Every structure is written in structure tokens, then in C-alpha cells.
Amino acid sequence: MRLTVAAGAATGAVAVALYPLFSGGAWFWSSLGVILVVTGTGLLAGRHALPDWLVAPLQLLAVLIFLTAVFARDEAWAVLVPTVSSVRVLGRLLATGFTDIQRYAAPVPASPGIVLLTCGGVGLIAIVVDLLAVRMRRAALAGLPLLTLFTVPAAVISDPINWLAFIIAATGYLGLLAADGRERISHWGRAVLVRRAPSFVAPRPSDAETGTLRMSGKRIGFAAVALAVLVPALLPTLEPDPLFGFGVGNGRGRGGNSISVSNPMVSMRGLLSLPENSTVLSYTSSDGLSRYLRTYALDVFDGEQWTMSEPHGRPEDRTSEGPLPAPPGLAPATPVTRTTTSITVSEDVRGMSFLPLPYPASRVDAEGDWRPDRDTLMVFSTSDTAAGLTYRVTSAEPIPTAEALKAAGTPPDSVGERYLRLPPDLPREVRALARRVTEDDASPYEKAIQLQEFFTKKGGFTYSLATRGHTGSALADFLLRSRTGYCEQFAASMAVLARILGIPARVAVGYTGGTNVSGAWQVRAHDSHAWPELYFAGTGWLRFEPTPAGSAGQGTASVPVYTRPQVTTDGAGRPDSAPETDSGGADTPRDPSARSRDDRTLQRDLTGVPVAVDEGTPVAAWAGLGLLAVLLVALVPAALRWELRARRRRSFSRGPSRPSGEPGGPSATAPAGTAEARTGRGAAEGAVPAAWAELDDVLCDYGMRRLPSESPRALAGRLAGQHGFDADEAAALSRITTLVERMMFARTPGETGPLREDLRLVRRALAARATRGRRIRAVLMPPSTLLRIRRAGGRLLEAAERLESARLRLTARLDGLTGGRLTGRA
């Protein structure tokens, strides 16, 4: 019975770790109900001695009845009994749940399909745990399904697992092991009856014999959990994020030199489907125009997904130090228009360590340690986040003309090597498509225009979130068959086709220009977007827009002016960036599935990419501080020993007691116990015990322990003879031990004398006879202090053991009052 309950409790404890995956707690109570059903079925099976092979099928049937009552009661017979109709309802809900978990990013809403899927999974885990731990008596092996359940949040989200959830899960598993151990120990030996004494109720022999084993197991379990939680908090780690969200190794903490960067392409569909439509940021520009705000630049396509190379931030490139590096590929003679943009990020945004910026930015004025990557001009920080941040961006946007872009030369080898790379197994049909939709004699710029028009006008593409993703097979399906997708597919596909045609390309992820509200541009969650950037010599990287805009596509997307048939400029020579089609506003109706996106989960839901930062001298400084912290922790025993020695020395400074008969001292004839005699004894009661305790610690530190059977006088004789003390050293030791004996046995202690000098002389004598290693250890890691720490821990464990023993005695006494017989073990 106990083991069955422990198995259910362990499953429930581990299921707590799933909380970060869901919005709200409705899923937990339904899952708890499933666990109770599995545990209750197991208890009934054990009570009626059913065969072990029959228990798991009965538990599956009980889970089906429970799920039917919760999710398909209207189609069931008498609410509980499953029918064909109820099974069909459950099947449809499961299919909906599978679809929803692919559409939403964590935390997912608690829709019936998702809750049903979660309850079913938790129920299956509970059945497997019960089967392994209770029926097969393999409790340790039951940790595997529990571990599977525990690792689900670690695989779905990149946030560190909460330390409290880990403790709860570990406690549940340790409780299962403890229950299994108790069951096994209780079956040792042969049970016999013993007669109970009439006036004394002894504890159960089984409890007496197994109590020590149980306490040992509890000590080991407690120590293991404590170390698992505390060690990551105290030691630096090589990974950006340790298991728990605290400690030196957490890359998002201040002073780290790396962070975990999300790959924004992995869960773009989940971001597009989130029901929230909160404001991410707002901005104003000096010319009043809207601009795309780029956050990431993805340059690597491995055939399955787009990711970005490891960015680098140099100390000399900090935004606080001056202008950003020059935009790659932009020639000095190319005309540019300079604008200033003031951006304010919402305080509700979490984990944004890359700044959304118009490209190319030439200067960023932002509070904190923000650094650009020279190759991509992404601006990021390893110690600060953008929540609530207001920053000012100066950008120098090129004004390209069609003639200049048509005449663009061959890109440098460094650009071509990095941004033309494609996997060798790219489908031949995709390569053929790139050449089929463009003209052979067209310039790279004209081919880029033809690719954009292929997606927006001529290719028959449809904007929708009902798509499989952006992996290699999904990309081929998007281009060759379905031609239905959202910005992720459009941007990734155009970048791939451009590389096939020899045009350097990458994918940018950020936000469209947003919606104008009272003179300021407001960017909300549904404005997050992906688009391709193509490279042209002399101009650098230019944005293209293959995703349909307006009500039939990405509502606030706009086609760049240099890709339109006629490029117009205003009176100041600046390009008119008004969108070709109606932006639709923030609330323009679109595809029902394209409701909104949320940048707050942008960096945590996606594949991590390390960001290396060249910290220069600050790295050495932080390493020195870390080493200093470790040294300070290691010197704690030495500090405790020094403080104790100083406290004892203060007791020596209260003044020596005067001998009997002297002025100010007690009378020689003063009876014992009188106030006069107590005055003389009280003066020595503080100094003499302190000196004796200090001598005892000195002996322990130098490996010369006092024997328990030795009197003070015998100790003095042994030390003086064994270590060859000279006359002064022996006399000092003799005075100390004599005072101790008088304090213990005499009516009056007599004169204490120069205790501090005597103790210092004896200490130096003992140190001179010890080895160098002993002396160093006595200073840095004094054994006397370590022994006190160990004894303190032992007292805590003894207190726990006394509480356990009291519980056993109370249980035995209650059994005795009821007249029951106690059992022993032969």
C-alpha cells in the first residue's frame, strides 16, 4: 500500500515541473485527478490481491473512464462509461491538441485538446511508474519515466528549470526509493511473536533495526539534493544557462561573457499564433517615416533551418565609445540619408538582449554595455536587457538607384564564401526553380526583383500559418507544391533562391514599421517579421519583401521603394517609403490563424546560439573576483578560528585575580561560598577555562590531541617530555595546567598570572615541534574549527533522529494501549 502511494506521489511531484509550459493551472488539477485514479486503482488491486499483470490494463481502463467523464461526458453513457461517440470526441480533441502544441509557443493556453494530451501523458507515466516500482519491484528503474516527464520543460523552453520544482521532484523520487527500501527491509527474517512487558512498551524490533538504515538513507538523499541545488550556484559553469536560474554560470547575469541567443526562425509560427497583442516598443523618427527594425541576421542554412553564426562584441566597439563600425559593403561615395530614431521598449518585454534597430545604424546611444557585431551590426549585451530601455539611433540609409544596383560589381570573396554557401543535398527541383523564374541575361539586381515578384505576384502564393515549418523538406514543399506559408517560409525561400543565383543573401528577423498612433509609431506583437537581405557591391545589404502585405498577408509589411518599377524621391532627395499597398493598420483583418506574435518569448523558445564577447581586461578582472570569492569561502574556517581566539584573549584582559590575603584580593580565612571568596573565584572563571579550551584547540590543530584519560598535570608532563620543552616552556605549560586543576578542585583558584603570555609561549613551542604542513593547515583550515562544524551538523542529524525515535515510541505505545502484539525478527 505504502509503495503504491509513493509511486503516485512521485509522479505528481515530478509533474509540477511542467508548470512553465502552461498558462494557468487547469491542466494540473486534471493531471492530479488522473494520478489519483491510477493510484486508487493500484490500491484496490493490492487490497484484493489481483495478479500483477492485470493491474496495468485496469489502470488504463480507469484512466479512459476518467478522461471520458472530464472531456466527453455528453457522449458517454451515464457520464462515465465510454461509448463509440465519446472515443471519437477524445480522438478529435487529441488531434486538436497535437495541432495546438505545434502552433503555440510556451506558455501555451489551457485548451481542452492540450489539457487532454497532457493528462493522457501524465496518466501513462503514472501507470509505467506503478508497474516498475510496485508490480516489478524496480523502484530505481522507475526513475526513467519520471526523468522523461521532468525533461519535457527543459526540451521545450530554454529558461532554467526552477530550483523549487527540482527539489519537489527529487523529494518525490527519494520518497519512492525510501518506501521501496522500507518494504524490502520489512521482509527480512522470519516474524515471531514476543510477550510484551506489562509496564514497558518497547518499540517494534523491525523499526529499531531499520531506523538506522532509514536515517542513513535520508542523510544521503538530503545531502544529494542540497549539493545538486547549491553547487551550481557556487561554481562557474561552461554553459550559458545552468540547470537552475542562479549562480555564476548564468550567462544572463551581470558580468557574464556569453549569453544564449535564440534562433528566431524555429518558433515563428508559435509567435504568430499567440493570442496576446501587446505593445513591444514605440518609436519616433526625425523624418516621421516608419522603418523596419532588425534584431537578428541569420546567415547559415544547413538544409534544415536558418541560424546565425556566433556574433562577437569587442570592448573597443561598445556603443558608449562612439560610432558603430562602417556598414559592410557600403561605399563612401554612395549617397545616404541620415535619420535619428528614438525607440522605447516596453517594460513588459522580458529577455530581449538584442536591440531592434533600423539598418544600417551608425550610432546607438543606450544605457548599458551594448556592443555591435562588426559583420552584421547586430547590437547585443551580455549583462543588460532592453526592457523599459529608451535609446537613440542614428542611421545612414543608402539611397540606391536602379542604375547603380544593376551595375553593381562582383561581391568580395569573403562575402561570397559566407553568404553563398548552400548544402550539397539541396533538391535539384529547387535549384531549377530559381533559374526558371528569372531571366538568364538579367543582372543580379534584376533577378532579385524577379524573385520578389515571383512570391508576391506571379507565383500564386498564399499567406497562412497552417504550414509545417521551415525545415528542408517543408521548404521544398512550400516552393514546389503547397505555396502556402507565412513570413518565415517566404523569407527563407527567397534567400535560398538568391544564393542559388549567386546573390549573397541572409535572413533578417525583427519587426515591421508598425502603426502610426498620434505621431508615434507603435510596434506590437503581431508586427514581428522575417525578411531577406541581399548584398550588392557598393551599397551593401538591402532589404527585400517577398511576403504578401495588406489584409491578405502580413498587415504592416511594405515593399522597399528601390524594388518598385519607378523609384521616386521627395524634395529633399529622400526615398518615399510609403507602402505600395494599404498596410491595413494594426488591427487589419488577416488570415484567422495570423492573430499575433509576442517578442517576450522570442529569445527563450528557440534554439540557442552562443555569443562570444571579447572582454579584454574586464574578463581577467571578473576571473580575479571569482577566484577571490572562492578563496574567501575557503578561508571561512580560518576566520572562525581567529574570531574564537580573539574572544578568548579578551577574557584574559579582564585582569588577573589577586592571591588570597593581598589588598583587593579575598581574605585567606574567607569561608568558601561567601561573597568575598566568590569574587576571587569569579575573576578566574572566565580566563582559566578559556586558556584551557585554547590549549585544547592548539593541540588539535597541530595533531597533538589530548587523551581523554589524561589529567591536566599528566598532559603537561607528557608534552614536556615527548617534545623536549625547555625550562620556560615547561613552566608556562605547568602554570596553565595547575590553574586548571585548582579551578576544578580547590576552594580558591589563586592568582591566575600572565595567562596570555604563558599560552603564547606554549603555542609557539608546539608550533615549532609540528611539521610545516601541519602549521599551514592550522592557519588555513584549522582542524579544531572543522571538527566543531562537523559536530554541529551531527547535532542537527541527532535532533532529527530523536524526533524519529519519539515517533516510533509513540506508535509502539499506541499499539500497546490497544492490546496488540508486537513482532520481532529472528
Side-chain angles (χ1 to χ4, degrees):
M1 296 291 185
R2 181 184 294 111
L3 191 56
T4 303
V5 174
T11 307
V14 175
V16 173
L18 300 178
Y19 249 104
L21 301 179
F22 301 90
S23 298
W27 70 272
F28 178 76
W29 300 112
S30 300
S31 299
L32 182 61
V34 170
I35 295 173
L36 292 176
V37 167
V38 173
T39 304
T41 305
L43 290 174
L44 291 175
R47 184 177 185 86
H48 294 284
L50 295 180
D52 290 339
W53 62 266
L54 186 58
V55 177
L58 289 178
Q59 289 173 330
L60 283 173
L61 179 60
V63 168
L64 177 60
I65 293 174
F66 175 81
L67 296 179
T68 300
V70 174
F71 298 97
R73 64 172 65 91
D74 294 338
E75 302 296 332
W77 184 73
V79 179
L80 295 175
V81 181
T83 62
V84 175
S85 299
S86 67
V87 172
R88 289 175 179 171
V89 171
L90 294 178
R92 287 195 295 269
L93 283 177
L94 285 176
T96 303
F98 275 111
T99 302
D100 287 346
I101 62 175
Q102 296 179 54
R103 292 178 56 228
Y104 292 112
V108 299
S111 65
I114 293 179
V115 175
L116 173 61
L117 193 62
T118 305
C119 291
V122 172
L124 290 177
I125 294 293
I127 293 173
V128 174
V129 170
D130 183 85
L131 175 65
L132 293 174
V134 182
R135 313 307 156 190
M136 301 177 63
R137 294 304 176 100
R138 296 291 186 270
L141 192 60
L144 292 178
L146 293 176
L147 181 62
T148 302
L149 185 62
F150 184 76
T151 54
V152 169
V156 174
I157 61 176
S158 59
D159 282 352
I161 298 176
N162 186 274
W163 62 270
L164 182 59
F166 170 79
I167 291 178
I168 294 174
T171 303
Y173 181 55
L174 291 176
L176 176 61
L177 294 179
D180 179 70
R182 190 167 184 174
E183 288 281 340
R184 293 176 182 275
I185 294 174
S186 65
H187 290 83
W188 291 357
R190 178 171 54 87
V192 297
L193 296 177
V194 297
R195 188 180 301 277
R196 185 178 69 253
S199 59
F200 174 74
V201 179
R204 288 192 184 96
S206 60
D207 290 336
E209 294 172 4
T210 63
T212 302
L213 291 174
R214 289 200 306 274
M215 288 307 301
S216 298
K218 292 176 181 178
R219 292 177 183 176
I220 295 173
F222 175 80
V225 174
L227 289 175
V229 173
L230 295 179
V231 169
L234 299 177
L235 298 179
T237 64
L238 297 178
E239 295 296 331
D241 289 312
L243 179 62
F244 305 111
F246 56 90
V248 181
N250 193 335
R252 293 193 185 279
R254 185 171 296 276
N257 59 5
S258 65
I259 59 176
S260 177
V261 179
S262 305
N263 179 351
M265 295 296 284
V266 175
S267 72
M268 180 67 73
R269 175 174 50 191
L271 299 175
L272 289 167
S273 302
L274 285 176
E276 295 87 359
N277 191 22
S278 57
T279 298
V280 178
L281 58 89
S282 60
Y283 68 94
T284 58
S285 59
S286 58
D287 57 6
L289 301 178
S290 65
R291 284 174 174 82
Y292 276 38
L293 302 177
R294 193 195 65 171
T295 307
Y296 306 97
L298 314 182
D299 62 320
V300 178
F301 180 66
D302 58 6
E304 291 294 325
Q305 61 181 350
W306 281 90
T307 57
M308 68 181 180
S309 300
E310 182 178 305
H312 293 270
R314 306 182 184 183
E316 62 269 22
D317 290 340
R318 288 187 178 98
T319 57
S320 58
E321 300 295 330
L324 272 62
L330 181 60
T334 302
V336 298
T337 177
R338 299 189 180 275
T339 58
T340 301
T341 307
S342 179
I343 303 174
T344 300
V345 180
S346 171
E347 294 182 353
D348 296 331
V349 174
R350 294 292 179 264
M352 182 185 285
S353 57
F354 280 64
L355 295 182
L357 303 171
Y359 183 86
S362 59
R363 187 180 183 92
V364 176
D365 296 318
E367 182 179 353
D369 185 5
W370 297 93
R371 308 182 185 188
D373 175 69
R374 289 197 170 192
D375 294 332
T376 62
L377 296 188
M378 294 184 297
V379 175
F380 62 93
S381 175
T382 62
S383 57
D384 298 283
T385 59
L389 180 67
T390 297
Y391 52 98
R392 188 181 181 91
V393 184
T394 302
S395 55
E397 301 172 359
I399 308 177
T401 62
E403 292 74 15
L405 293 176
K406 291 178 182 178
T410 304
D413 293 339
S414 59
V415 174
E417 180 181 358
R418 178 176 179 180
Y419 295 101
L420 291 177
R421 189 176 305 157
L422 288 169
D425 58 347
L426 192 68
R428 289 179 296 178
E429 295 84 356
V430 174
R431 295 181 182 272
L433 176 66
R435 297 178 177 89
R436 188 169 64 249
V437 299
T438 58
E439 299 175 1
D440 294 339
D441 56 350
S443 66
Y445 166 70
E446 292 171 330
K447 290 182 179 180
I449 299 295
Q450 292 166 6
L451 287 178
Q452 179 174 281
E453 293 181 348
F454 168 67
F455 287 104
T456 57
K457 297 178 180 180
K458 302 177 181 180
F461 288 88
T462 304
Y463 184 90
S464 174
L465 292 177
T467 177
R468 293 169 50 195
H470 75 287
T471 61
S473 58
L475 195 65
D477 180 75
F478 171 73
L479 285 171
L480 303 174
R481 286 174 287 276
S482 70
R483 298 198 173 180
T484 299
Y486 51 102
C487 59
E488 175 185 342
Q489 280 74 36
F490 286 98
S493 299
M494 180 169 175
V496 170
L497 296 182
R499 287 192 176 187
I500 293 173
L501 298 174
I503 308 172
R506 64 191 184 192
V507 175
V509 178
Y511 302 92
T512 59
T515 306
N516 194 299
V517 179
S518 301
W521 294 94
Q522 187 179 73
V523 177
R524 296 195 287 181
H526 76 267
D527 293 317
S528 64
H529 190 48
W531 63 90
E533 290 182 341
L534 276 57
Y535 182 92
F536 298 95
T539 305
W541 292 97
L542 292 177
R543 174 179 70 89
F544 285 78
E545 186 53 270
T547 304
S551 60
Q554 184 79 4
T556 54
S558 62
V559 176
V561 294
Y562 46 80
T563 66
R564 299 177 187 176
Q566 293 181 351
V567 178
T568 60
T569 59
D570 60 13
R574 295 171 300 187
D576 180 11
S577 61
E580 184 180 43
T581 59
D582 180 20
S583 66
D587 297 317
T588 300
R590 304 194 305 260
D591 178 26
S593 61
R595 285 176 288 179
S596 62
R597 290 147 286 171
D598 189 356
D599 183 74
R600 287 173 289 181
T601 57
L602 184 61
Q603 297 203 32
R604 71 177 184 181
D605 291 330
L606 315 170
T607 304
V609 176
V611 176
V613 179
D614 180 10
E615 291 287 348
T617 303
V619 172
W622 283 111
L625 290 177
L627 179 61
L628 179 61
V630 173
L631 290 177
L632 290 177
V633 173
L635 290 177
V636 167
L640 294 176
R641 180 74 177 92
W642 180 87
E643 192 277 334
L644 179 60
R645 185 182 298 123
R647 182 152 37 93
R648 288 168 176 169
R649 286 175 179 172
R650 288 193 295 270
S651 67
F652 303 156
S653 303
R654 296 171 184 169
S657 65
R658 298 180 180 273
S660 300
E662 289 191 3
S667 172
T669 59
T674 63
E676 187 179 5
R678 288 196 301 270
T679 301
R681 187 175 184 87
E685 281 182 348
V688 175
W692 180 243
E694 179 63 20
L695 177 61
D696 200 28
D697 284 351
V698 169
L699 293 173
C700 178
D701 291 341
Y702 292 132
M704 308 170 185
R705 294 179 181 272
R706 175 172 58 88
L707 300 178
S709 60
E710 280 185 318
S711 65
R713 185 173 304 180
L715 173 65
R718 179 175 67 83
L719 292 177
Q722 182 177 349
H723 299 289
F725 283 10
D726 60 24
D728 293 338
E729 296 167 348
L733 180 59
S734 178
R735 284 193 293 271
I736 295 174
T737 55
T738 299
L739 281 173
V740 173
E741 288 189 342
R742 290 185 62 85
M743 178 63 67
M744 295 171 62
F745 306 112
R747 295 176 60 188
T748 59
E751 183 180 7
T752 57
L755 271 176
R756 175 180 290 185
E757 289 73 14
D758 289 342
L759 190 61
R760 182 184 295 112
L761 184 59
V762 172
R763 186 170 180 270
R764 289 178 177 174
L766 294 174
R769 272 74 175 179
T771 62
R772 178 179 299 179
R774 287 279 187 183
R775 293 196 298 271
I776 295 175
R777 184 183 179 188
V779 174
L780 299 180
M781 299 290 289
S784 59
T785 303
L786 297 178
L787 186 61
R788 282 189 175 85
I789 295 175
R790 180 180 177 184
R791 287 172 179 169
R795 285 194 293 270
L796 291 176
L797 292 176
E798 288 173 2
E801 289 180 352
R802 285 196 294 270
L803 291 176
E804 181 73 8
S805 299
R807 185 185 68 82
L808 294 176
R809 287 195 298 270
L810 178 61
T811 302
R813 190 173 297 276
L814 291 176
D815 289 346
L817 293 176
T818 58
R821 295 188 171 227
L822 301 177
T823 59
R825 300 296 166 193

